[in-house]
Amino acid sequence: MSKSRQRKKRVEKYVDEVLSEQRIASIAERQALQRHVDDLRDGGQRGLVFDWEIADCCCDWFDLLTFSKGTAAGEPFDLLDFQETIVSLLTGWRSEETGLRRFRRAFISMGRGNGKSPLAAGLATMLWLNDIPHQPGAEVACAATKRQQAHDYV
């Protein structure tokens, strides 16, 4: 089975496990994943399409990255299933008419130590340097609650 097909199966499995409550998730995450499932069914009526090829390409970006700090410094950035799902859903949903990303902003919240900052840094660099289609003049803005955290990823 191809890497792309395996990723799609992992994302689908993650979505199914959250929605069937086999996996603990917040209400907001459940709602976002339910919207994804509903839009796979009905999104075409609103001009939305989910492009697995683009989502897969965006997840592949993380294969090029390594952690820069901490105990994982120098290790490859292997996306976990929930991270793969976040990247896939943020980047795979497109306007059928223009091909542009559906989501221009994202609020990602997770517990401490789950890789928020490296995930955000990877997304930011990918979207700034390699968005599909390329967006001339693209900008990325990040925020942090602590000065040190903001400084670490600038």
Side-chain angles (χ1 to χ4, degrees):
M1 183 181 303
S2 73
K3 182 178 177 182
S4 176
R5 197 173 162 116
Q6 289 172 346
R7 179 175 287 130
K8 181 178 178 184
K9 287 200 171 295
R10 280 193 306 272
V11 168
E12 290 172 341
K13 181 180 182 214
Y14 181 83
V15 170
D16 289 344
E17 287 176 355
V18 168
L19 293 179
S20 67
E21 298 185 11
Q22 294 173 0
R23 190 181 280 257
I24 296 172
S26 70
I27 292 170
E29 181 178 10
R30 240 185 229 100
Q31 289 172 334
L33 296 179
Q34 185 62 56
R35 177 183 60 210
H36 168 70
V37 170
D38 294 346
D39 286 345
L40 285 173
R41 185 187 62 235
D42 303 325
Q45 297 168 9
R46 296 192 329 272
L48 299 173
V49 62
F50 189 81
D51 190 324
W52 277 109
E53 188 174 323
I54 290 177
D56 191 49
C57 179
C58 292
C59 287
D60 282 345
W61 171 264
F62 286 83
D63 291 343
L64 304 172
L65 307 178
T66 59
F67 288 97
S68 61
K69 303 182 163 219
T71 58
E75 299 281 327
F77 193 136
D78 294 324
L79 290 171
L80 301 173
D81 55 357
F82 74 94
Q83 294 168 325
E84 252 178 353
T85 303
I86 290 168
V87 173
S88 295
L89 272 56
L90 285 178
T91 60
W93 279 107
R94 302 284 164 156
S95 162
E96 193 169 31
E97 183 180 324
T98 65
L100 297 175
R101 278 182 291 106
R102 174 185 187 183
F103 300 111
R104 298 176 53 87
R105 295 181 183 171
F107 177 80
I108 301 171
S109 176
M110 61 185 85
R112 186 175 177 181
N114 281 300
K116 284 184 298 294
S117 295
L119 179 64
L123 279 168
T125 56
M126 178 199 53
L127 294 172
W128 182 53
L129 296 170
N130 199 34
D131 199 4
I132 303 169
H134 177 67
Q135 300 293 313
E139 296 179 3
V140 174
C142 296
T145 58
K146 296 185 172 136
R147 180 181 296 271
Q148 186 62 43
Q149 183 183 26
H151 175 73
D152 286 349
Y153 290 94
V154 174

